[in-house]
Amino acid sequence: MWRRPWTVLGAATALTLALLALAAGSPLAAHGDAGFVARLDLDGPIGPAAAEYVDAAMQQANADGATAIVLQVDTPGGLDGSMRRIVSAILTSRLPVLGYVAPAGARAASAGTYILYACPVAAMAPATHLGAATPVSLGGDSPLPSGGMQPASSRSSGTPASGDSSADAESRKVLNDAIAYIRSLAQLHGRNVAWAEQAVRGASTLTASEAASQHVVDFVAADVASLLAQADGRGVRLGERTVMLKLRGLPVRDYPPDWRARLLGTITNPTIAYLLLLAGIYGLILEAFHPGTYLPGVTGSICLLVGLYALQLLPVNYAGLVLMALGIGLLLAEAFVPTAGVVGIGGVIAFVIGSIMLFHRGVPGYEVNVGVIAGLAFCAVALLAMLLRLVSRARRAKPFVGDASMLQASGNLLQAVSAGGESWARIGGESWQVHCEVALPAGARVRVTGRRGLLLQVTPLQANKGELP
């Protein structure tokens, strides 16, 4: 009887693998005919997903027999490690790479400037700009102007003054390393070395026409067809050889990101990674409070692992992560420790500060949306207020079990009772044997004043005393 379920499961697994393989191959697949230009669209912050996309797409374009690659750039900057991986892919490419800042209104800021300098041919569309390539220190105390590129290392190309503090020395190392890097790229392709240094040291920027006139880029092109026409006939250096470009009139084929690059781009979005992390933590907490539910635990484990994977790819401040964990722990402790909200308020404050500190806000595109943090903080405050209200109501509530609740109960005599005698009464929906010092008729209202075992002491309930259930 197990044959059919296993057959269905096997068929579903095979179908899933086939769809994944199709999805993996379709975005970058080509027909293999020569004589075309591959276009890659580097749009958005430079991060691990962008680096993987560029690397994979360039290899695929080379395997498909492309003549050249157009790398269309529109980025505010990003992570130093990812930028260097893209630059390395450009410098080692067997195909000439044409860097093109487009469309109109686009920019190649910070890390994008380094990428454009690395391309053998660099061009810009009208109404675009580049520059502001000063690195940003993750420590938060760097005196450097904020240029939006987080450095991966601090290799010194200069000696700091003897009076500099350790923070100043570290900043100077990062700055000198970035200057040496962009100068080497400028010298490699014979471009404006002085302005390249100024873009890093002084966060200078240029428009398209200014960049062309100062020989920062080769020319201004209105579209890809104009780019290929103006690049046609130019000799570019690829490693140890020089290649003459013959690009005029060639068709352009787009190489969009594949499913893996899109997935990586989604989970490495700081806001998504932040939400995944919280979903994982709260899922495991719910599973701990309700063992055997499984769904919160399984979902929370997956979200937590994916969130942690994203965090190790991003510029994370681990002090912020610890503060977030402390804040969540204090909020949970408020449910068990009677502190009138002091621990809970401290937890909310720690959670908000940790959320703000978690990602470095100087790197463009790599900060958590403040609205998301504010919304989660509001929910935490609302949950804390509701918890405090429930605790307050519980403390004011009258007891409903034990002797304390019995001493406040009232009921009706089921039978008449003589003075100092015993009878039966219905109290709290139950029949009790009662003793009364005064004579009362059947149906009289009585109030419990004491208990001896299963015998209740009652007195008449006065009309002005009120009635308790």
Side-chain angles (χ1 to χ4, degrees), residues 195-288:
W195 185 87
E197 180 174 343
Q198 187 59 28
V200 177
R201 190 181 298 278
S204 297
T205 59
L206 292 176
T207 64
S209 57
E210 292 170 344
S213 64
Q214 296 188 34
H215 198 47
V216 173
V217 298
D218 297 307
F219 50 81
V220 176
D223 51 32
V224 175
S226 175
L227 169 69
L228 299 182
Q230 295 187 63
D232 189 69
R234 287 177 175 262
V236 296
R237 184 176 177 182
L238 297 180
E240 299 298 325
R241 60 193 177 96
T242 300
V243 176
M244 189 66 65
L245 299 180
K246 297 180 180 179
L247 306 176
R248 187 185 297 271
L250 289 182
V252 177
R253 181 177 302 159
D254 289 323
Y255 280 65
D258 62 6
W259 68 272
R260 189 178 188 280
R262 289 195 295 269
L263 176 62
L264 188 60
T266 300
I267 64 173
T268 53
N269 180 301
T271 300
I272 300 297
Y274 174 74
L275 292 177
L276 284 172
L277 188 66
L278 292 183
I281 292 173
Y282 283 117
L284 294 180
I285 291 173
L286 286 175
E287 182 66 31

Side-chain angles (χ1 to χ4, degrees), residues 271-418:
T271 300
I272 300 297
Y274 174 74
L275 292 177
L276 284 172
L277 188 66
L278 292 183
I281 292 173
Y282 283 117
L284 294 180
I285 291 173
L286 286 175
E287 182 66 31
F289 283 130
H290 302 278
T293 310
Y294 299 120
L295 179 60
V298 172
T299 305
S301 300
I302 294 173
C303 290
L304 185 61
L305 290 175
V306 174
L308 291 175
Y309 171 74
L311 289 184
Q312 63 95 21
L313 297 175
L314 296 173
V316 175
N317 186 329
Y318 289 97
L321 192 61
V322 172
L323 275 173
M324 285 178 58
L326 175 63
I328 294 173
L330 291 177
L331 285 171
L332 292 174
E334 182 62 42
F336 304 100
V337 181
T339 61
V342 176
V343 171
I345 293 172
V348 172
I349 294 173
F351 176 79
V352 172
I353 295 176
S355 298
I356 295 174
M357 292 173 56
L358 184 60
F359 294 104
H360 186 63
R361 299 185 60 80
V363 183
Y366 284 91
E367 67 274 353
V368 178
N369 189 299
V370 178
V372 174
I373 297 176
L376 290 173
F378 176 80
C379 292
V381 170
L383 181 63
L384 177 62
M386 182 179 69
L387 180 64
L388 291 177
R389 183 171 180 271
L390 293 175
V391 170
S392 177
R393 286 181 59 184
R395 289 180 177 177
R396 293 198 306 266
K398 295 172 181 176
F400 55 90
V401 294
D403 286 348
S405 64
M406 182 62 71
L407 293 177
Q408 300 179 18
S410 62
N412 300 318
L413 284 175
L414 297 176
Q415 301 172 359
V417 63
S418 59

